[in-house]
Amino acid sequence: MKQLVNISDLSYDSDKCFAGDAAGNLPPFLRRNHLDGLELMICGEYDPTGYPPEYIHGVHLRFWPTWYCFYLGEREKAALRLPAGTRLTDYYEAETAEGWVELWRHNIRQAVKAGAKYVVFHVAECAAVEIFHRRHAIGSEAVITAAANLINEITAELPESIAFLAENIWWPGLNFTDPALARELLDRLSHKNSGFCLDTGHLMCTDWSLRTQEQGIDYVCRRMEALGELAGRVKTVHLHQSLSGKYAARMAEAADDIIPDMRQAMEYIGHIDNHLPITTPYVKKLFDFISPDCLVHEFMPSDMADWEEKLKIQQHHIISLVTLSYGEGGPRSGG
């Protein structure tokens, strides 16, 4: 099982994590933290000088939280689902659904160029007006159907050697609360090499009653057990914990139909999706149900020191699950 970390190719991330020099600081960072490489989010044109292909195992595709109505050509409805003060063409970076789909295809081509072994796609839909109270106008089944159609359009150029992995979120779509819908999604996909990326923190966000990491891990295990043989299609795990149920319930109780602007929406999501390290060896129980190829330590670090501290904490509790690829003396046999 490969150990990876997540980062985007935006200068913001490179500046705070690698002092603006990813090419120079990435290799020693991977070695001293016993990591095999990256899951990179490519936001524009892939630049191999910053993040060379030899370090990239996965690519996290871009994500628009609300897209369903725009994709179906319902522009007026789509505009009403955006954050306050947001123009339709600015949000989708395109005038039409066809232009927006082409952005996805371009993102896929950049992932291929980067040498990705897998790509990750969020299967979810949420209007800005729904973000706090979570009373969703569009249900999971409709999102699954539309997402499958979209995925089949954008993966036409994805080589079968590269896995397509659908990731869960706590909104309608793939959230792993209904195993039948998870199966339906995979059944609808044309790309033969398809599976799941399990995000443990996102799954914990679907149950507001969770208060401890042990409760959260038990909950994730129950959801994976309910998948049955489909749990074998979990090829990558985004490992972290988010126990934000008390905050989510409080915000939902106070919420009405006020539409947040982009800043307010992102601030709320940051409070929900904590991306904190798991600090209990109880996490090993999860791997009785899944055997992923890659484990991504998915955090939102403030700087390099914060990143390495979170890595150290989480790795301490999963160390027996992996074969380290790097030791202090240099590379060893792969994990």
Side-chain angles (χ1 to χ4, degrees):
M1 183 165 60
K2 301 290 186 184
Q3 286 196 84
L4 313 176
V5 285
N6 64 297
I7 195 168
S8 81
D9 62 356
L10 295 174
S11 59
Y12 169 81
D13 276 341
S14 177
D15 289 346
K16 73 176 182 178
C17 292
F18 293 123
D21 181 17
N25 290 321
L26 175 60
F29 165 77
L30 296 176
R31 283 194 296 272
R32 68 176 176 264
N33 290 289
H34 314 296
L35 297 167
D36 296 288
L38 302 174
E39 182 181 285
L40 180 68
M41 175 174 276
I42 300 175
C43 298
E45 300 293 324
Y46 171 61
D47 179 7
T49 62
Y51 297 98
E54 58 263 35
Y55 299 118
I56 298 174
H57 287 261
V59 164
H60 199 308
L61 300 175
R62 299 180 64 188
F63 177 52
W64 285 264
T66 183
W67 54 271
Y68 179 90
C69 291
F70 187 72
Y71 177 59
L72 296 184
E74 300 171 347
R75 295 175 65 87
E76 291 184 6
K77 290 182 180 180
L80 293 174
R81 294 178 67 79
L82 297 182
T86 306
R87 295 178 65 246
L88 199 71
T89 53
D90 290 341
Y91 185 81
Y92 293 106
E93 302 172 38
E95 294 287 340
T96 64
E98 291 76 13
W100 177 70
V101 170
E102 181 52 36
L103 290 177
W104 281 109
R105 292 194 181 107
H106 180 77
N107 205 199
I108 290 280
R109 289 193 290 269
Q110 297 307 297
V112 174
K113 184 178 178 181
K117 283 75 173 176
Y118 69 84
V119 297
V120 174
F121 180 99
H122 283 147
V123 180
E125 163 71 22
C126 181
V129 71
E130 301 165 346
I131 192 172
F132 298 125
H133 58 59
R134 302 199 198 179
R135 296 190 297 271
H136 300 285
I138 302 167
S140 288
E141 188 165 1
V143 175
I144 291 288
T145 300
N149 292 336
L150 171 60
I151 291 164
N152 288 338
E153 284 195 65
I154 68 174
T155 56
E157 299 179 45
L158 187 67
E160 292 290 346
S161 60
I162 301 177
F164 177 89
L165 304 182
E167 179 181 352
N168 61 295
I169 311 189
W170 60 93
W171 295 327
L174 179 68
N175 48 43
F176 287 137
T177 61
D178 186 339
L181 287 180
R183 178 176 296 279
E184 180 179 345
L185 174 65
L186 290 191
D187 287 347
R188 286 178 175 270
L189 298 186
S190 300
H191 192 72
K192 301 304 181 186
N193 187 8
S194 294
F196 298 124
C197 171
L198 165 65
D199 188 296
T200 56
H202 290 174
L203 189 46
M204 291 179 194
C205 288
T206 64
D207 186 338
W208 293 355
S209 71
L210 303 175
R211 294 292 181 267
T212 69
Q213 290 183 60
E214 288 75 15
Q215 289 174 344
I217 292 164
D218 276 338
Y219 176 70
V220 174
C221 289
R222 289 197 300 274
R223 291 301 185 192
M224 292 297 99
E225 185 177 24
L227 286 178
E229 53 90 14
L230 277 184
R233 303 287 289 274
V234 175
K235 300 302 181 183
T236 291
V237 172
H238 289 173
L239 191 66
H240 60 101
Q241 53 104 349
S242 294
L243 298 169
S244 55
K246 187 180 294 186
Y247 172 82
R250 185 173 71 249
M251 293 296 289
E253 185 177 353
D256 51 24
D257 284 337
I258 295 175
I259 303 175
D261 60 26
M262 188 68 76
R263 181 192 61 79
Q264 291 168 324
M266 294 305 295
E267 185 176 89
Y268 171 80
I269 290 172
H271 280 98
I272 294 294
D273 195 13
N274 301 146
H275 284 88
L276 296 174
I278 289 176
T279 62
T280 170
Y282 196 67
V283 69
K284 294 175 185 176
K285 177 181 178 181
L286 173 61
F287 296 90
D288 291 336
F289 298 94
I290 57 172
S291 300
D293 299 323
C294 295
L295 185 156
V296 183
H297 299 277
E298 191 174 71
F299 306 127
M300 296 186 294
S302 57
D303 54 30
M304 173 68 79
D306 179 50
W307 204 5
E308 294 194 304
E309 179 62 21
K310 287 175 176 173
L311 273 167
K312 180 181 178 182
I313 291 169
Q314 187 157 276
Q315 284 179 322
H316 175 72
H317 296 294
I318 56 94
I319 197 68
S320 65
L321 300 172
V322 297
T323 302
L324 297 184
S325 294
Y326 297 103
E328 292 183 359
R332 295 194 292 174
S333 58

